Every structure is written in C-alpha cells, then in structure tokens.
Amino acid sequence: MPDAVYKKIEVTGTSSTGQDEAIQNAIAKASQTIKNMRWFEVVESRGNIKDGKVDQYQVTLKIGFRLDG
Amino acid sequence: MPDAVYKKIEVTGTSSTGQDEAIQNAIAKASQTIKNMRWFEVVESRGNIKDGKVDQYQVTLKIGFRLDG
Amino acid sequence: MPDAVYKKIEVTGTSSTGQDEAIQNAIAKASQTIKNMRWFEVVESRGNIKDGKVDQYQVTLKIGFRLDG
Amino acid sequence: MPDAVYKKIEVTGTSSTGQDEAIQNAIAKASQTIKNMRWFEVVESRGNIKDGKVDQYQVTLKIGFRLDG
Amino acid sequence: MPDAVYKKIEVTGTSSTGQDEAIQNAIAKASQTIKNMRWFEVVESRGNIKDGKVDQYQVTLKIGFRLDG
Amino acid sequence: MPDAVYKKIEVTGTSSTGQDEAIQNAIAKASQTIKNMRWFEVVESRGNIKDGKVDQYQVTLKIGFRLDG
Amino acid sequence: MPDAVYKKIEVTGTSSTGQDEAIQNAIAKASQTIKNMRWFEVVESRGNIKDGKVDQYQVTLKIGFRLDG
Amino acid sequence: MPDAVYKKIEVTGTSSTGQDEAIQNAIAKASQTIKNMRWFEVVESRGNIKDGKVDQYQVTLKIGFRLDG
Amino acid sequence: MPDAVYKKIEVTGTSSTGQDEAIQNAIAKASQTIKNMRWFEVVESRGNIKDGKVDQYQVTLKIGFRLDG
Amino acid sequence: MPDAVYKKIEVTGTSSTGQDEAIQNAIAKASQTIKNMRWFEVVESRGNIKDGKVDQYQVTLKIGFRLDG
Amino acid sequence: MPDAVYKKIEVTGTSSTGQDEAIQNAIAKASQTIKNMRWFEVVESRGNIKDGKVDQYQVTLKIGFRLDG
Amino acid sequence: MPDAVYKKIEVTGTSSTGQDEAIQNAIAKASQTIKNMRWFEVVESRGNIKDGKVDQYQVTLKIGFRLDG
C-alpha cells in the first residue's frame, strides 16, 4: 500500500426519516465537492423535537478522503 | 433571543423494531408530562438478546426542554 | 439472583442496508458459537463509502453472555 | 418485552463507612419517592478528607426506573 | 457529617453577555423551584451564531442539591 | 425543516482579556470567509503564561455552518 | 524482562454483598479456564435494584493474562 | 469564602483487603507530608492477580489540599 | 529547540467574580513557588452555590512549567 | 462487499526497543493462533521503568479479524 | 502576543515503517497546500495487518495553523 | 505484597527524533530528582511544526513511583 494521506472533515446530515438517512444525506452532500471519500465515523447523534415528536434526526460524521498523490 | 433556561432529562426508550423507533418511543412517553421539548441527544445505545437475536433496542437520550419564563 | 459471571466480547457487524441490520448480523454470527447471550452495547458506528455513497455500515458491539455455572 | 420507557436520575449517596454503603444510602433515599427502580450505574466516586482521614465517601449513581405505562 | 443524599439535575443557562452570566441565569432559574442547592459542574459550553457574531452563550451545568432528610 | 447539511470546522481564538473574547475573536475571524454560521461548541480552553500571569487565553471551538442547498 | 505478550478479556462479576466480592467472583470464575492471570482493571460498576434496595452489584473488569511463550 | 487555591496530587493506594482500604491507605500516607487535605476523587481502580485470586487492590486518587494563604 | 522537559501540576483557583479570575488566581498563587511556567489547560469548571446564587467559581487547571536544564 | 462479521480482541505487546516493536510483537504473537487479522487500534501505551530508564514499552491494541463465513 | 486565530484540520498519515514516519508523512503532505502550520496533536493510532504483520501504520493528527491576519 | 503507596506525576518530554526518545528524555530528567520510579503511562502526544516539518515531538507521561515506607 502506498503511503497515502487522508483528510477527515466533520459534517452533520439531517433527515426527518431516521439516522441512516441522515448519514446518507451528509455523504451525498459532501460528494458534490469531495472526491475519493473512503470511510465515515459517527461522532454524534441528536435531533430536534417539535410538538412532542422527532422533527429531525441530526447525525454528525467524520468523513475520510484520500488527498491526491 | 431571550435568556431562556432549559432542563435536560435522561430517558431510555425501547423498541423491538429498531433504534429510531426506540428514540421515538422515548420522546412520545416524555411528551405525556413535559411541554416545550426542543432537542434530544443520544447518549447510549444498547439492547437485550434472546434466543440469539435482538429482543429489544434500548436507546438512552438526553431531552432538553424550555423552563417556563 | 445467583452470582453469575458474564463475559463480554467485541464484534463488528456489517450491512449495506443500515445500522440496525449491522447489529443483527453481528449477533446472528456470534450466536453460531456462543450460548446464553444476554445483552449488547453499541461502542462504535462507522462505515465504508464508495462512489460517493454509503457502501457498508459497520457497527461494533460488546456482547455479554453468561458463563456456565 | 413491552416497549417500556425508563427515566434515569443522578443521585449522590454519602457514607462514613465505605463506597458500598454510600450506594445503598442513595438508593434507600430515592426509594422514598420513586417506584419501579430497576438498575444503577456508578458515575463518580469521591469524598471528603478531615484530619488526614476519609471523612465521607460520596458515590454518584444514575438510577433507572420504569415510567408507568 | 450526616449521611446526606444529593440529587443532580442538568440545566442549560443562556446569555447574550458571556459564559459566567449564562451560569448565573441557570442557577437563578433553578432557585425558583429548588432549595438547598450546593454546587454546580460545567458540562458543556456552546452557543448560537448570528450575522457572524455570538448571539447567545449556552452553558450546561449539573446542579447538586441536598434532598430533605 | 429541510434536510440541510452542515459542516463543522475547528478554530482556536485567542485573547489577552478573557475566554469570552477569545470565542468572539475566533468567530469574527471565521466570518470573514464563511457564511451561514449557526452554532459553536467549546472543545478546549487553555492559554499561555508569561511572567507568572495569563498572557493569552486560547479557546478552541467547533463552528457549524450550513452548506448551500 | 522478556517480550511477553498479554491478552485482556472483559468479564462482569456479580455479588449481592458488595463491589469487592463482585471483583473476586469474576476472577474466581475466570481462573477456572485461564492461567497466568496478572492484573485487572475496573471498567464499569453498576447493579440491579429490587424492592428499593441493591439486589446485585455488577462490576466489569478487564483481566490481563500472559500468553504462553 | 476567601479565594483559596488548591493543589491536586495523584496517589495510588494499595490493599489486600478491598478498595475502601486502598483509599484509606493512600490518604494516610499522604497525610504524613501534606496538610489541609480536603477531598479525594477516585480516578482508577485496578489490581494484581496471583494464583487466580485478587492479590492487591490498587486505587488511584486525586487528592485536593489548600495551599497556604 | 532544545529537548526541554516540562512538568504539569494540577491547581484549582477560586473566585467570586468569574471563571477568568479563578484562572488568574490559580496562576498567581502557583507563581509564588514555581518558575518558568509556560502554559495552562482548563480541566474542570465548577463552583459553590449559596442562597440560590453562585458563591464561588472553581476552575481546575493543569499548569506546565519547564524543569531546569 | 459481503456482510462480513469481525471480532476484536485486546492484546498487550511489549518491547525493550520501542512502541512500534511492541505493536509488532503483539501482532506476531496473535498471528500464531488467529487468521484473517485485518486491522489494529492502539488503545493504551505505557511501560515499566527500572534504574531510572525505560525497561519495557507496553502497547495495548485492539486487533480486528474476520470471522469465517 | 497579537490575538491570532488558528484553524485545526484532521489528517491521517500512513507509513509502512512506523508511527513517527506516519506523522511526518501527514505533515509533509499538508505542507504542500497549507502555510503557517504550528503544532500537531495525535488523536488516533491504528493500522492495517496483512499476512500476520503490520502492513501500514495510520496515525491521525490534528494540525493547527495560523490564519492570515 | 506490602501495602505500598505510589505517587504519579505528569511530565512532558521532548525530542526532535521521535516519540520513543521523548519518553526516554522525560524519564531521564525525572530520574535526577525522583527515586523508585516504577511505570509510565502515555497521556498525550503532540509536537511543534516548523517550515512544514516536525520540529519537536512532545509526549506527556504520568510517571508512578513508590513513596518511602
């Protein structure tokens, strides 16, 4: 394996549906500007409550991507 | 924004279906007695195993709500 | 309650579908060789990204099981 | 198992005798006003010193109890 | 020292002025309904940003108070 | 609420006056290049000492801002 | 000292008497199948409550033992 | 209350009897050279195992004492 | 830079005014006996409450100083 | 990627030379009995001191390996 | 000291040689695009295993650099 | 084993060569004034960057030593 270097960014995705979709939304958004994304790590899961119900799941990820050689 | 004060309580919701529903159940139960709930933070996710399968998801939340002015 | 002793092992389940299924897969696999499993604790949630999308959810659990008397 | 919901409170018990008794004192006090207590988790253990000796053990617990259905 | 028992609650105070005032506001509010408060512990410090400036400091405290004997 | 996505960056502000001003300086600097900043989280507070006195407060924040739709 | 290698396992001992005995029970049980145990580290202390009293102390240990050369 | 300043030191007490005695031994030893000790905080609990039994409890404390005015 | 070695001590400063002054008081006191102090790290912020108000801010610092060559 | 399941074990390698070699020794030892090892995570680094010098580096790893399908 | 503001980024360097070189590689790569780097903090150390040996050390750093005035 | 009591101090060693040497330097310096040092624990690893390269590794240790009987 070559001595690649990776950068991690921290992104919060949201969804009214669930935690998995919040993760997917975060990654979909990040993919618009970042190439070579390889992995994610969940670092926080929280959300908004409205009228006594979950209004929005908010999942914060670290996303790791390879820096160009 | 006025200088509101919020209280956080810690509640564990359970579900045989999944982690999202355990969150929803915790908040639904809390809404029976607490008003002005604004946000939740997942602090622990665990569960029971029975016959080699997940029997119950147990997700612990902190729930923040505004104290009356 | 008798003074039972429990062992915890750490297992990472994977799934292309979601975090709940990754948990289920970890426990299903562990149940092939371990009896008397009683509870699990989520200790890490991460995953692989491929082509700008979640390729695989990876959820690490501690699984507790009773040691024979 | 029904989808019960639990609340956790945080209580500090004290004792001049030892850590176990501090735990017992915290739970005995809580039982005066709370029903359906199911489990505790030790979150902090500290104490006061007086004249170069332990004066008081102070053990902080989270106590989980089932909310009525 | 008698074997007193203490309860801790978690409260978030806010202020547009600074972190110290957010602490004071949390305690002032709690004092309206709770007696015998003895100590606080800062557990989180965050805030809102508006127009590129701090709009509100939000400091979360644990507040310990003695339960009646 | 639409399914917005947020990015968090980590910034260390400094001040010879106090921790609140260090926070303000970090945010003021970040606002020169970042739009739509919504919240901050204090993650570290430290500083330099010179001649037996505080020379500089150094407060590290995570700053969350909305990514354009 | 030779370059020995150690393995750590995680075990939860229980006792109706106290935390020290829960530790002893965990180690006694582990000693039935593991040789060369050298040290333990307490990683969690919790328990069950029944009828408003401690029913069972549950102390989780990491136990380190030397792997044969 | 005057603006007292306290120092904390970290000390590991040992005992073949139990965790409480390990705490007491640490404080007794520290009291030989330090005055004005006020409180302790348990930061780690571990021990040695010999012949499949607890040989020694080792409890690490932070001890706080007031510096002379 | 020469291979200097630093020691860190842990000190709790107090103030009835605010967290910044508690930090300053801790460092001023430490400077009476310690030379070459270089940096501090805030590790805990708490305080006493009296009559429903903050009576004393208590900020615990690690202070790093260079050991003589 | 198939839904593989991984197990993590915790192993402490030692070396009189350095931290990297302690890691290598832990993995070499584990490889005698475990197949399909894929990754390691450093969880603790400590060591013994003798005659005022490092006598032994002790690095604790979690090692992840794939369970057979 | 002027009230400089610093940004921290998170970068993972890799090396087949050791942890120090993984750190150096991360910083060398970052220096291609970032000026005024001042310090680093190791936040994670892990790696890949292949054929029962360390294949690659992976060390994650936070790197702090001064933002232009 | 007699009921020995140990003290832990926190020391930061530096080196331009690597993390292992930084550890050695910290212990060598401490050994000039402290007897009976027994073990160390790495608690932080960071460093300075200069001209886009590692200028200095800075490793912070806790060092445990036996207090005289």
Side-chain angles (χ1 to χ4, degrees):
Chain A
M1 227 182 267
D3 291 349
V5 175
Y6 302 84
K7 190 175 175 185
K8 290 190 196 181
I9 57 166
E10 198 164 340
V11 179
T12 303
T14 66
S15 163
S16 58
T17 305
Q19 296 177 88
D20 290 345
E21 197 185 87
I23 292 172
Q24 292 158 15
N25 287 348
I27 291 171
K29 182 72 187 174
S31 74
Q32 293 177 359
T33 52
I34 298 175
K35 292 181 189 169
N36 297 318
M37 296 193 298
R38 294 296 162 80
W39 83 92
F40 67 91
E41 311 164 19
V42 175
V43 291
E44 192 181 34
S45 182
R46 48 193 295 157
N48 279 339
I49 300 173
K50 200 171 164 181
D51 299 334
K53 295 187 180 169
V54 178
D55 178 54
Q56 188 182 58
Y57 294 90
Q58 302 164 334
V59 181
T60 300
L61 311 175
K62 291 196 181 180
I63 296 177
F65 58 96
R66 190 169 48 74
L67 294 173
D68 289 331
Chain B
M1 225 183 266
D3 290 349
V5 175
Y6 302 85
K7 190 174 175 187
K8 290 190 196 182
I9 56 166
E10 197 164 340
V11 179
T12 303
T14 65
S15 163
S16 58
T17 304
Q19 297 178 88
D20 290 345
E21 198 186 85
I23 293 172
Q24 292 158 14
N25 287 347
I27 291 171
K29 182 73 186 172
S31 73
Q32 293 177 358
T33 52
I34 298 174
K35 292 180 189 168
N36 297 319
M37 296 192 299
R38 294 296 163 80
W39 82 93
F40 67 90
E41 311 164 20
V42 175
V43 292
E44 192 180 34
S45 183
R46 46 194 297 156
N48 279 340
I49 300 174
K50 200 171 164 181
D51 299 334
K53 294 186 181 171
V54 179
D55 177 54
Q56 188 182 58
Y57 294 89
Q58 302 164 334
V59 181
T60 300
L61 311 176
K62 292 196 180 179
I63 296 177
F65 57 98
R66 190 169 47 75
L67 294 173
D68 289 332
Chain C
M1 227 182 266
D3 291 349
V5 175
Y6 302 85
K7 190 175 176 186
K8 289 190 196 180
I9 56 166
E10 197 164 342
V11 179
T12 304
T14 64
S15 163
S16 58
T17 305
Q19 296 177 88
D20 290 346
E21 197 185 87
I23 292 172
Q24 292 160 14
N25 288 346
I27 291 171
K29 182 73 188 173
S31 74
Q32 293 177 359
T33 52
I34 299 174
K35 293 180 188 168
N36 297 319
M37 296 193 299
R38 295 295 164 81
W39 83 92
F40 67 91
E41 311 163 20
V42 175
V43 292
E44 191 181 35
S45 183
R46 47 194 295 157
N48 278 339
I49 300 173
K50 200 171 163 181
D51 299 335
K53 294 187 180 168
V54 178
D55 178 54
Q56 188 182 60
Y57 294 89
Q58 302 164 334
V59 181
T60 299
L61 312 175
K62 292 196 180 180
I63 296 177
F65 57 97
R66 190 170 47 75
L67 294 172
D68 289 331
Chain D
M1 226 181 265
D3 291 349
V5 175
Y6 302 85
K7 190 176 174 186
K8 292 190 193 180
I9 57 165
E10 198 163 341
V11 179
T12 302
T14 65
S15 163
S16 58
T17 304
Q19 297 178 87
D20 290 346
E21 198 185 84
I23 292 171
Q24 292 159 14
N25 288 347
I27 292 171
K29 183 70 188 173
S31 73
Q32 293 177 0
T33 52
I34 299 175
K35 293 181 189 167
N36 296 320
M37 296 192 299
R38 294 294 163 80
W39 82 92
F40 67 91
E41 312 165 18
V42 175
V43 292
E44 193 181 33
S45 182
R46 47 195 297 157
N48 279 339
I49 301 173
K50 200 171 164 181
D51 300 333
K53 294 185 180 170
V54 178
D55 177 53
Q56 186 183 59
Y57 295 90
Q58 302 163 334
V59 181
T60 299
L61 311 176
K62 291 195 182 182
I63 297 178
F65 58 98
R66 190 168 48 74
L67 294 173
D68 289 331
Chain E
M1 228 182 267
D3 292 348
V5 175
Y6 302 85
K7 190 173 175 187
K8 290 191 196 180
I9 55 165
E10 198 163 341
V11 180
T12 303
T14 65
S15 163
S16 58
T17 304
Q19 296 178 90
D20 290 346
E21 198 185 84
I23 293 172
Q24 292 158 15
N25 288 347
I27 291 171
K29 182 73 187 171
S31 73
Q32 293 177 359
T33 52
I34 298 173
K35 292 181 188 168
N36 296 319
M37 296 192 299
R38 293 296 163 81
W39 82 92
F40 67 91
E41 312 164 20
V42 175
V43 292
E44 192 181 33
S45 183
R46 47 194 295 156
N48 279 338
I49 301 174
K50 201 170 163 180
D51 299 333
K53 295 187 179 169
V54 178
D55 177 54
Q56 187 183 59
Y57 295 89
Q58 303 164 333
V59 181
T60 300
L61 310 176
K62 291 195 182 181
I63 296 177
F65 57 97
R66 190 169 48 74
L67 294 172
D68 289 332
Chain F
M1 226 182 266
D3 291 348
V5 175
Y6 301 85
K7 190 175 176 185
K8 290 191 195 179
I9 57 165
E10 197 163 341
V11 179
T12 303
T14 66
S15 164
S16 59
T17 304
Q19 295 177 89
D20 290 346
E21 196 184 87
I23 292 172
Q24 291 158 14
N25 287 346
I27 291 171
K29 183 71 188 174
S31 74
Q32 293 177 358
T33 52
I34 298 175
K35 292 180 189 169
N36 296 319
M37 296 193 298
R38 294 294 162 81
W39 82 92
F40 67 92
E41 311 164 19
V42 175
V43 291
E44 193 181 35
S45 182
R46 47 195 296 156
N48 279 339
I49 301 173
K50 200 171 164 181
D51 299 333
K53 295 187 180 168
V54 178
D55 178 53
Q56 187 183 58
Y57 295 89
Q58 302 163 334
V59 181
T60 299
L61 312 176
K62 291 195 182 182
I63 297 177
F65 58 97
R66 189 168 49 74
L67 293 174
D68 289 330
Chain G
M1 227 182 263
D3 291 348
V5 176
Y6 302 84
K7 190 175 174 183
K8 290 191 195 180
I9 56 166
E10 198 162 341
V11 179
T12 303
T14 66
S15 163
S16 58
T17 304
Q19 296 177 89
D20 290 347
E21 198 185 84
I23 292 172
Q24 292 158 14
N25 288 347
I27 292 171
K29 181 73 189 172
S31 74
Q32 293 177 359
T33 51
I34 298 174
K35 293 181 187 167
N36 297 319
M37 295 192 299
R38 294 295 163 81
W39 82 93
F40 67 91
E41 311 163 21
V42 175
V43 291
E44 193 181 34
S45 183
R46 48 194 295 156
N48 279 338
I49 300 173
K50 201 172 164 180
D51 299 334
K53 294 187 180 170
V54 178
D55 177 55
Q56 187 183 58
Y57 295 89
Q58 303 164 334
V59 181
T60 299
L61 311 175
K62 291 194 182 183
I63 297 178
F65 57 97
R66 190 169 48 74
L67 294 172
D68 290 330
Chain H
M1 225 181 268
D3 292 348
V5 175
Y6 302 85
K7 190 176 176 185
K8 290 191 195 180
I9 57 165
E10 197 164 340
V11 179
T12 303
T14 65
S15 163
S16 59
T17 304
Q19 297 177 87
D20 289 345
E21 197 185 85
I23 292 171
Q24 291 158 14
N25 287 347
I27 291 171
K29 181 72 189 173
S31 74
Q32 293 178 359
T33 52
I34 298 174
K35 292 179 189 168
N36 297 320
M37 297 193 298
R38 294 295 163 81
W39 82 93
F40 67 91
E41 311 163 21
V42 175
V43 291
E44 191 181 35
S45 183
R46 46 194 297 156
N48 279 339
I49 300 173
K50 199 172 166 181
D51 299 334
K53 294 186 181 170
V54 177
D55 178 53
Q56 188 182 59
Y57 296 89
Q58 302 164 336
V59 182
T60 299
L61 311 175
K62 291 195 182 182
I63 296 177
F65 57 98
R66 191 169 47 75
L67 294 173
D68 289 332
Chain I
M1 226 183 267
D3 291 349
V5 175
Y6 301 84
K7 190 176 175 185
K8 290 190 195 181
I9 56 165
E10 198 164 339
V11 180
T12 303
T14 66
S15 163
S16 58
T17 305
Q19 297 178 86
D20 290 345
E21 197 185 86
I23 292 171
Q24 292 158 14
N25 287 347
I27 291 170
K29 182 72 187 173
S31 74
Q32 293 177 358
T33 51
I34 298 174
K35 291 179 189 169
N36 297 319
M37 295 193 298
R38 293 297 163 80
W39 83 92
F40 67 91
E41 312 163 20
V42 175
V43 291
E44 192 181 34
S45 183
R46 48 194 295 156
N48 280 338
I49 301 173
K50 201 173 165 179
D51 299 334
K53 294 185 181 170
V54 178
D55 178 54
Q56 189 183 57
Y57 295 90
Q58 302 164 334
V59 182
T60 300
L61 311 176
K62 292 196 181 181
I63 296 177
F65 57 97
R66 191 169 47 76
L67 295 173
D68 289 333
Chain J
M1 225 182 268
D3 290 349
V5 175
Y6 302 84
K7 190 176 175 185
K8 291 191 195 181
I9 57 166
E10 197 163 342
V11 179
T12 303
T14 65
S15 163
S16 59
T17 304
Q19 296 177 89
D20 290 346
E21 197 185 86
I23 292 172
Q24 292 158 15
N25 287 347
I27 291 171
K29 183 72 188 173
S31 73
Q32 294 177 358
T33 52
I34 298 175
K35 292 180 189 168
N36 296 320
M37 297 193 298
R38 293 296 163 79
W39 83 91
F40 67 92
E41 311 164 20
V42 175
V43 291
E44 192 180 35
S45 183
R46 45 194 297 156
N48 279 338
I49 300 173
K50 201 172 166 179
D51 300 333
K53 293 185 180 171
V54 178
D55 178 53
Q56 188 183 57
Y57 295 90
Q58 302 164 334
V59 182
T60 299
L61 311 176
K62 292 196 181 181
I63 296 178
F65 58 96
R66 190 168 48 75
L67 294 173
D68 289 332
Chain K
M1 227 182 266
D3 291 348
V5 175
Y6 302 85
K7 190 176 175 185
K8 290 190 195 182
I9 55 166
E10 198 163 341
V11 179
T12 302
T14 66
S15 163
S16 58
T17 305
Q19 296 177 89
D20 290 347
E21 197 184 86
I23 292 172
Q24 291 158 15
N25 287 347
I27 291 171
K29 182 73 188 172
S31 74
Q32 293 177 359
T33 52
I34 298 174
K35 292 182 189 168
N36 297 320
M37 297 193 298
R38 292 297 162 80
W39 82 92
F40 67 91
E41 311 163 20
V42 175
V43 291
E44 192 181 35
S45 183
R46 48 194 295 157
N48 279 338
I49 301 174
K50 201 172 165 181
D51 299 333
K53 295 187 178 168
V54 178
D55 177 55
Q56 187 183 58
Y57 295 90
Q58 302 164 333
V59 181
T60 300
L61 311 176
K62 290 195 183 181
I63 297 177
F65 58 96
R66 189 168 49 73
L67 294 173
D68 289 331
Chain L
M1 226 181 267
D3 291 348
V5 175
Y6 302 86
K7 190 176 175 185
K8 290 191 196 181
I9 56 165
E10 197 163 341
V11 180
T12 303
T14 65
S15 164
S16 58
T17 304
Q19 296 177 88
D20 289 345
E21 198 185 86
I23 292 172
Q24 292 158 15
N25 288 347
I27 292 171
K29 182 72 188 173
S31 75
Q32 293 177 358
T33 52
I34 299 174
K35 292 180 189 169
N36 297 320
M37 296 192 298
R38 292 297 161 81
W39 83 92
F40 68 91
E41 310 163 21
V42 175
V43 291
E44 191 180 37
S45 183
R46 48 194 295 157
N48 279 339
I49 301 173
K50 200 172 164 180
D51 300 334
K53 295 185 179 170
V54 178
D55 178 54
Q56 189 182 56
Y57 295 89
Q58 301 164 333
V59 182
T60 299
L61 311 175
K62 291 196 180 180
I63 296 177
F65 58 97
R66 191 169 48 74
L67 294 173
D68 289 332

